[in-house]
Amino acid sequence: MRGYGRDLIAGIVLTTLLVPQGMAYAELAGLPAITGLYTSILCLLAYAIVGPSKVLVLGPDSSLGPMIAAVILPIVASGGDPGRAVALASMLALLVGVMMTVAAVAKLGFVADLLSHPTQLGYVNGLAVTILIGQLPKLFGFSVDGDGLFAEAAGFVRGVANGETVPAALAVGGLGLLVILLLGRFAPRVPGILLVVVGAILAVPAFGLTERGVQVIGALPRGFPPFTLPSASWADLGLLAVGALGITLVSVTDTISTASAFAARTGQEVHGNREMLGIGAANLSAAFFQGFPVSTSGSRTAVAFRAGARTKLTGLVGAAAITLLLVLAPGLLRNLPQPVLAAVVIAASLSLADVPGMRRLWRQRRVEFALAAAAFLGVALLGVLPGIGVAVGLSALNVFRRAWWPYRTVLGRPDGINGYHDVRDFPGAAAVPGMTIFRFDAPLIFANARTFREEVRALARAEPKPRWIVVAAEPITDIDTTAADMLEELDEELNAAGISLVFAELKSPVREKIDRYKLTRTIDPAHFYPTVEDAVSSLREDVR
């Protein structure tokens, strides 16, 4: 019973975060604040039933908000019907739910690997800057019309320069942001967002903030979220589907990483496909109750975990508490200032940013820092949805680059050390007379077949000319048909020059492919050795 008591308390603590963040992230997505509460209720209920993790918390997410807005706002257009925006967001959630479910059934959990850590780091940093710039006008009490990061930044600067700032809005929003950040830094166990929200609601009538130009969210609709069928025109489905695909990828990546972090603490195992099924169910449920796409929240999961959450009861308590709020006291939040919601979103954007991670990449590996920087610029210059495409494309190109230009070296025998080692690590390593030992650290495929051939040709032209070029083939895990054709031509070319192409330490599955390709028509079947040492001994005996 004591365990369930902790979950009950954790559920109440979680609710204090779910309510303001849910409303703030709904507005970040370009939707009415109430939809954030509707979404929170349904996704918590659905994940508690279907999701595998006992502690993960799903809901509206700061990283998905700009993506949702990037999809629906161009369709609705500036000043469009909020009802249509909600309908489009619900259809987006439906598509995400379907994609998640199909991916889970097809066991496609590996798609989370499409975003490498450097590109993911650059993407979220770009997202953090995009969110920050987008929310600054709201924090200052005015709005701007701008499409893209630079247009919004320019609009904000013009607004401040033209005197559009509402001092009371900036005061309440800026103070709220300062309190959230300070408590998060120095007293993380104190519910800073709750204190700011309650204080701001009380300050509105006490200081007459509405008369001073501060916008508030107003009374929320009473009752449980209404059942509504998502709808969209055929003309809109193409853009919605593209957006849903990007949201699905980001959501899966975020969920798998968050689940892995908390599984280590709770002793659970991560089941990627079951997690996708749980997220799919959460999105499908939200879609039919005026909700929008959701993902796992690392920050809210951490809050719930610190408060004692150990079972799915925590999420159920959170859903029930939000429902009671809407049924019994929907007017409780009517005086919540819009600048405070902006402060909540800005605080979330700052928590997304990982500048130390970028510095670490700069110190450790400049190539991966360049990938992160390119992903950052993709989001900042092209927008959120193109940015995710840039991030995925860069991850794929980085994998291809490593296969295209793998590490390759010559091996020698250092004094006093057994075996044959990289001559770059051991410059004094002795070469075997009449032999060059070449190591190629990648599968031999179409992308790097030319590189392999040119390296071997260069070794064949060296003086003194080797009799054998031995490929230390343990790192070669595959040979495709393009590489096989190259090997056949290369072997004939080397034979004409009096040089034999020899393989050592070739893995059995790869050796079977050699036989299947009938490469032993040109490569001597006797020139395949279990170890480099065996190849060296064979050449020495041949010399004798």
Side-chain angles (χ1 to χ4, degrees), residues 119-145:
T119 51
Q120 189 176 4
L121 184 63
Y123 172 78
V124 297
N125 280 326
L127 201 61
V129 173
T130 300
I131 294 171
L132 175 64
I133 297 300
Q135 292 296 305
L136 281 177
K138 189 175 175 181
L139 185 73
F140 279 62
F142 62 92
S143 61
V144 299
D145 289 326

Side-chain angles (χ1 to χ4, degrees), residues 489-505:
E489 295 172 2
L490 180 62
D491 184 61
E492 291 176 347
E493 178 183 321
L494 293 175
N495 288 341
I499 301 172
S500 296
L501 185 63
V502 178
F503 289 85
E505 302 177 353

Side-chain angles (χ1 to χ4, degrees), residues 290-315:
Q290 298 189 10
F292 52 86
V294 298
S295 179
T296 301
S297 169
S299 61
R300 291 192 289 272
T301 300
V303 167
F305 189 81
R306 285 198 303 265
R310 295 298 182 271
T311 72
K312 294 180 178 180
L313 180 61
T314 299

Side-chain angles (χ1 to χ4, degrees), residues 31 59 147 154 179 196 228 259 261 302 313 384 412 425 477:
L31 300 167
D147 184 14
V179 171
V196 167
T228 308
L313 180 61
V384 175
D425 295 332
T477 56

Side-chain angles (χ1 to χ4, degrees), residues 25 62 124-125 127-133 344-354:
Y25 297 161
S62 59
V124 297
N125 280 326
L127 201 61
V129 173
T130 300
I131 294 171
L132 175 64
I133 297 300
V344 172
V345 174
I346 290 173
S349 74
L350 295 176
S351 69
L352 276 178
D354 188 358

